[in-house]
Structure formats: C-alpha cells, structure tokens
Amino acid sequence: MAPRALAKQTNAEMPDVVSDLEILIGYNMKRAYVAIQKDFRAALGEGGLSPRTFSALSLVVAHPNISQSSLARLLGIERSGLVAIIDELERRNYLTRSHVPGDRRVQALVATHEGNAAYQATLATVQAHEERLLATLSATEKHTLMQILIKIRLTDKEDI
Amino acid sequence: MAPRALAKQTNAEMPDVVSDLEILIGYNMKRAYVAIQKDFRAALGEGGLSPRTFSALSLVVAHPNISQSSLARLLGIERSGLVAIIDELERRNYLTRSHVPGDRRVQALVATHEGNAAYQATLATVQAHEERLLATLSATEKHTLMQILIKIRLTDKEDI
DNA sequence: TATTGTTATACTCTATAACTATA
DNA sequence: TATAGTTATAGAGTATAACAATA
C-alpha cells in the first residue's frame, strides 16, 4: 500500500501538524526559497538587482566574452528570456554587447569596469544576507544543504 | 574584509566552477526547486493538479471547514490569489464552498468524496515522484534537508 | 539546414487596491 | 471600523513560435 502520511482529523491530537505538506520536500523547498528570495530583495533594496539579473551578471563576470546562448544554457532559461535581462544590465552600463570577429551572429558579453565593481559590491551584500539569514545553521549544515541541493538539481537531465 | 569567493579568471585552473553562484545557497535552492517542480508536473501529467492547487487541496482535506482567509494564511499567499485556486478545485468537484451559520461572510471549504479520493491518489503519486527523484539521498539526508528547510522558512517573520 | 539574437505573444504566479456584504 | 470573499489590474518570470542575419 502507498504510505498514508496523515489521518484525516488531526486537529484535536496534533494541532501543530498542518497537513501532509509538512513531509513533502518540494513544498518545504518552495517555502524556504520564497523566504530566501524575499530577504535577498530586501537586502538589495529598491533599485537593486533581481536574483536572476544578479545571476546573469555573475556569469558574465566569471566568463568574459560569453555568448547569450551559452549564458542562457548555464542559467537554465531560454535565449528569448535572456534578452530583457541583458538589456537591463546594458542599460545600467554593467556590460556591453560586442560583435566578435569570425562569427557575426554572436554577441560577446563583457562586464564593464562599473559592472565589475557593482558586481563585487552586490556579491558582498548577497553573502552578508545569506550569512545573516542562515545564521542558525552550522557550517556543517550549510555544507550538507549545498551538497544535497546540487544532487537534486542534477537529477534534471536537461541541467547544464 | 568581505569574503571574495572567486577570482576573476578561473576558466584555466578550475573549468568546472561556473561562478560565485555555486557557493550561494539561494541560487542552488532555486535550481533544485525548479528541478523538483518540473518532475512534479511531469509525474501528475496533463490535466493534473499544479503544485499550488495540490497544496490547497491538501490543507482543505486536513482542515475541513477552513475559511479562505485561514487557508491563504497557511499557504502564505493573499486572499485574492486563492480565489482562482478554489474556483479550479470547485470546478473539478473536489470541494464545496458553503456558508456557515453565525457568520455569513465566511465560506467554509469542505472536500467532497471525489476530492478526498483524488487527493489520496495524487498524494501517492507525489510521494512516488519524490521517492524516485530523491532516490540518491539517504534517509538521513532527507531528514536533515527537511529540518534545514523548515528552519530557513521560519526565518520569515510573516510565515505562519 | 542550423544557429544567434530578437520580437511577439501568452501563460502562470503573485501582489495591491478597491469593491460588496457582512460583522 | 474591521473582516471575508471577490474583482480588476499589473508586474515578474517563463515558454513557444517565428523571424532576420549569418554560418
């Protein structure tokens, strides 16, 4: 028989148990991610980079001259969805699109000096936000969590 | 000084390191959740419940006669956003809205027989999906993960 | 034929604000 | 005044499909 996690009427005996959702990893992962994202946005404030824009900038800084196609693949999103993100980073003067000799289809992305500086500052803010938010976790717990998250992520065959 | 996680040019020495994102829990949590959600939807198939609709149904099953306001609070979403979810569950004949004596503003939500049956079947499918997807994790790892996720979730003051 | 960047478009999820009917 | 449910609306974030330029 399939596991039946929770009897129907738990209100009386176990008022703290909200529903079967509590034993589902997907549900708890979503709630945890929502909490992290909320704090991320609060930490970066009005006018700060959104998580996805920060991620894109991080990859451009780490991979100078990366193409938009490669970047979209690394982020796990469609090329079409990346356009608005790169538009925003270009508008902020954080990177430039430049044509490369040899293949005139490609737009090589390079972070500007301003973009590099903004990235380093933002990264420090993001790291501070995570350290503060996850202060109740031990170093071992953080390490274990990261290992598990990467394991789960890589169950997706289309990832990377 | 703030920690500087990654030097600028890692391509040569560490081709596997994609960027600082790899050490950020928020980023890895998002990628892991996307993988889980994708598999959840694939497991439930065309016409299956979405994660949020399944969550709402779970809470209605566990809490007969719950109000929409209480349900929204438990799910961590706005009352207005719940309307479409309840509409869908009502359209599927999985629950009924019924007025309660004493306060005619409230709509008590009760799962139908069909809704209870569909919920139990869907729950079994969801649990099978998680067991399959997370097969590489040990029981200890799953337990640790869950504890950490709940800890993170509860850093949000507005949660619960 | 295939690929890069782009646009047009639509769908999901969520939030804010305002309304109504009740309390 | 305050609350429950609802509607209207808008904004992220994402995907699919099609296009022009180029390979």
Side-chain angles (χ1 to χ4, degrees), chain B residues 92-111:
Chain B
R92 287 176 184 259
N93 295 315
Y94 285 178
L95 58 74
T96 58
R97 287 166 157 114
S98 62
H99 285 285
V100 298
D103 191 336
R104 290 197 298 173
R105 292 173 303 182
V106 179
Q107 303 270 65
L109 303 175
V110 183

Side-chain angles (χ1 to χ4, degrees), chain A residues 2-11 15 17-36 38 52 54-56 58-59 61-64 73-76 116 119-120 123-124 126-127 130-131 133-134 136-138 141-142 144-156 158-160, chain B residues 2-11 15 17-36 38 52 54-56 58-59 61-64 73-76 116 119-120 123-124 126-127 130-131 133-134 136-138 141-142 144-156 158-160:
Chain A
R4 189 77 76 89
L6 197 66
K8 270 175 198 164
Q9 285 287 24
T10 58
N11 308 35
V17 173
V18 166
S19 88
D20 307 290
L21 296 179
E22 295 211 347
I23 63 152
L24 294 178
I25 286 176
Y27 182 76
N28 285 283
M29 179 101 61
K30 170 157 191 187
R31 297 298 297 258
Y33 178 63
V34 167
I36 293 179
K38 201 172 177 182
R52 67 180 196 157
F54 170 75
S55 299
S58 175
L59 288 166
V61 167
H63 300 278
R73 195 183 103 267
L74 286 178
L75 288 168
N116 268 283
Y119 173 65
Q120 293 302 334
L123 174 60
V126 170
Q127 286 177 326
E130 289 208 348
E131 274 166 35
L133 191 73
L134 307 176
T136 59
L137 301 185
S138 69
E141 280 179 316
K142 287 186 202 174
T144 304
L145 173 60
M146 195 69 92
Q147 281 190 311
I148 294 174
L149 292 177
I150 290 169
K151 253 197 211 180
I152 293 174
R153 174 181 161 182
L154 295 180
T155 59
D156 184 354
E158 287 167 42
D159 197 294
I160 292 186
Chain B
R4 189 77 76 87
L6 196 67
K8 271 175 198 165
Q9 285 286 25
T10 58
N11 308 35
V17 174
V18 166
S19 87
D20 305 290
L21 297 178
E22 295 211 347
I23 62 152
L24 293 178
I25 286 176
Y27 182 76
N28 285 283
M29 179 98 62
K30 169 157 191 188
R31 297 298 298 257
Y33 178 64
V34 167
I36 292 179
K38 201 171 175 183
R52 67 179 197 159
F54 170 75
S55 300
S58 175
L59 288 166
V61 167
H63 300 277
R73 195 183 104 266
L74 285 178
L75 288 168
N116 269 282
Y119 173 66
Q120 293 302 334
L123 175 59
V126 170
Q127 285 177 327
E130 289 207 348
E131 275 167 33
L133 192 74
L134 307 176
T136 60
L137 301 184
S138 68
E141 280 179 316
K142 287 185 204 176
T144 305
L145 173 60
M146 195 70 90
Q147 282 189 312
I148 294 174
L149 292 178
I150 290 169
K151 249 195 214 182
I152 293 175
R153 174 182 160 182
L154 295 181
T155 58
D156 184 354
E158 286 167 42
D159 197 293
I160 292 183

